Amino acid sequence: EKVASKSGSKRKAIFDQVTTLLKAHETAEETVVRPVTSKTAGKDVVEARNEEEDEANEAIAALSKLDVDSADFEAQFAEFKQAVTDHAEAEENDEFPTLESKRSAEDREMLGKQFLAEFESAGGLS
């Protein structure tokens, strides 16, 4: 929403911040969460989520080449935003429930700590 509501250098700065955080988030998921998800939800779920994240990285690369105030950026960003929302919903429906039901509270707490550490080391907020 912040990207869409700004223009010029402010839009570019927010876009860069959002994409940095998104990439750090993806790195932490792929490194920490997905190996566990492979065991709890199966390889098909992992492959689908990783494919969505690969597509997001391609979209980020394409968006980064556009003028942030152009109609092309706005249209492609709207599609990107929807894809990220769809990805998050798929995680919440297909992936996270299996972590909740098939891992102990202690395992989930450790997984969360590992995720945060990886997120931070990949450029996320500390």
Side-chain angles (χ1 to χ4, degrees):
E1 296 302 320
K2 287 183 181 182
V3 172
S5 71
K6 302 295 182 193
S7 62
S9 62
K10 288 184 181 182
R11 177 181 273 183
K12 175 72 171 132
I14 294 169
F15 173 74
D16 290 344
Q17 180 183 27
V18 166
T19 57
T20 296
L21 294 173
L22 185 59
K23 288 178 182 180
H25 181 89
E26 290 173 0
T27 297
E29 282 183 336
E30 290 175 9
T31 304
V32 176
V33 178
R34 297 283 151 62
V36 178
T37 301
S38 181
K39 296 173 185 170
T40 62
K43 293 183 190 276
D44 290 347
V45 170
V46 169
E47 289 173 6
R49 296 303 76 79
N50 286 344
E51 183 177 313
E52 292 162 359
E53 290 173 357
D54 290 344
E55 291 169 2
N57 287 330
E58 291 173 13
I60 290 168
L63 284 162
S64 295
K65 295 177 184 175
L66 299 175
D67 176 347
V68 297
D69 291 321
S70 71
D72 284 343
F73 180 90
E74 291 197 15
Q76 288 183 36
F77 186 78
E79 289 178 18
F80 171 71
K81 180 181 165 191
Q82 185 61 53
V84 170
T85 299
D86 292 346
H87 172 77
E89 288 175 3
E91 288 175 331
E92 290 176 15
N93 293 326
D94 302 335
E95 187 173 2
F96 300 156
T98 68
L99 296 171
E100 178 76 27
S101 66
K102 296 182 179 180
R103 290 295 180 255
S104 69
E106 295 82 17
D107 287 345
R108 294 190 311 271
E109 184 175 340
M110 185 181 347
L111 190 65
K113 288 177 182 178
Q114 291 171 340
F115 177 91
L116 287 175
E118 184 65 30
F119 175 74
E120 291 174 5
S121 72
L125 300 175
S126 54

